Amino acid sequence: MMKKITALLLMSMSTFAYSQSISLQNGDFVKGEFTVTDKDGADLAVVFADKSERRLVQNVVGKKEFVFKAEQTGTADFVIYSSQGKKAEIQQDQIQILQQIPVEKQNALPTKYLSTKIQQLAEQITEQNKTALLDEFWQQVTKQGTPLIEPVENTDENVVTFLSDRAVKHCPLGR
C-alpha cells in the first residue's frame, strides 16, 4: 500500500512544469491560445533555443490568442509569468497550439492590393515611418468609418475593404 501512495505522489508532482516545449523550424508561423484562470492575470513568453525570449501576451485573464514567427530552428519553451513576474506552473491545456505553418506552406503577402488607399499606404511604408503612417491611417479610418468603399476606375463597381487590426479583406461589389 505504501508503494502505491508514493508512486501516485511522484506522478502528480511530475505533472507540474514551468515550461512547455515546441519544436520549430526557422520561419514557422505559430498561432495558439493561452488561458488564465487567475484573476490577477499572467504573461506568456516563448524562449527560443538561443535563450532569447519574446513576450507574446501580457496581463491575460481568460482566453487570449497569440501568434509569432519562429526566429530560429530548434526547441522553444513557452513560459508563464505570474502578475508578480515569477515563473508560474503551466496547467494542462493552458497553452493550446491551434496552427503551426512551415514557411513553404505560408501564403506570401500580396504585392498589389485592390484598394487604392491600402496600396498607397503599402508603397509608402518603411521601417522608419511605419508607426507614424499606420497611426495616421487608423485615425483617418476611425473618422471615416469602415468598410472602405472605393470606386473601380472605368467600371460601375466598387472595391469594399473590411478592416481589422489582424487582416485586410477585399470584396468587389457592383454599385
Side-chain angles (χ1 to χ4, degrees), residues 43-60:
D43 298 354
L44 178 65
V46 62
V47 180
F48 294 103
D50 70 353
K51 303 301 178 206
S52 62
E53 180 176 308
R54 184 176 345 142
R55 294 283 166 126
L56 300 174
V57 289
Q58 296 179 317
N59 302 318
V60 175

Side-chain angles (χ1 to χ4, degrees), residues 10-172:
L10 290 175
M11 266 184 24
S12 67
M13 287 176 60
S14 67
T15 61
F16 296 106
Y18 290 99
S19 67
Q20 178 177 321
S21 298
I22 183 171
S23 181
L24 298 170
Q25 294 297 315
N26 189 18
D28 282 0
F29 170 83
V30 178
K31 177 180 178 181
E33 191 173 72
F34 177 46
T35 304
V36 178
T37 56
D38 183 351
K39 65 179 172 39
D40 292 329
D43 298 354
L44 178 65
V46 62
V47 180
F48 294 103
D50 70 353
K51 303 301 178 206
S52 62
E53 180 176 308
R54 184 176 345 142
R55 294 283 166 126
L56 300 174
V57 289
Q58 296 179 317
N59 302 318
V60 175
V61 176
K63 286 186 180 188
K64 179 79 174 176
E65 199 173 88
F66 64 87
V67 296
F68 69 93
K69 182 178 175 184
E71 299 171 353
Q72 57 194 261
T73 297
T75 301
D77 295 317
F78 291 105
V79 179
I80 297 174
Y81 292 96
S82 70
S83 59
Q84 293 82 29
K86 296 179 181 177
K87 285 185 180 179
E89 291 177 352
I90 296 177
Q91 306 300 315
Q92 185 176 5
D93 298 326
Q94 192 170 14
I95 301 169
Q96 295 290 319
I97 303 302
L98 305 174
Q99 288 182 307
Q100 184 172 353
I101 305 171
V103 171
E104 63 273 6
K105 292 191 178 181
Q106 295 173 20
N107 296 325
L109 291 174
T111 56
K112 179 106 173 95
Y113 294 92
L114 295 175
S115 164
T116 54
K117 289 181 182 179
I118 300 294
Q119 183 63 38
Q120 289 169 351
L121 180 64
E123 290 170 359
Q124 294 172 356
I125 287 181
T126 65
E127 282 302 314
Q128 292 77 22
N129 69 9
K130 181 164 77 174
T131 302
L133 280 177
L134 289 174
D135 286 347
E136 181 182 324
F137 172 79
W138 283 110
Q139 286 173 5
Q140 288 175 351
V141 166
T142 301
K143 287 179 188 171
Q144 294 171 355
T146 61
L148 300 179
I149 301 174
E150 302 169 90
V152 177
E153 241 181 83
N154 302 321
T155 72
D156 62 348
E157 295 183 347
N158 290 313
V159 170
V160 179
T161 305
F162 296 89
L163 302 168
S164 78
D165 60 352
R166 296 181 193 267
V168 176
K169 304 252 186 222
H170 302 285
C171 291

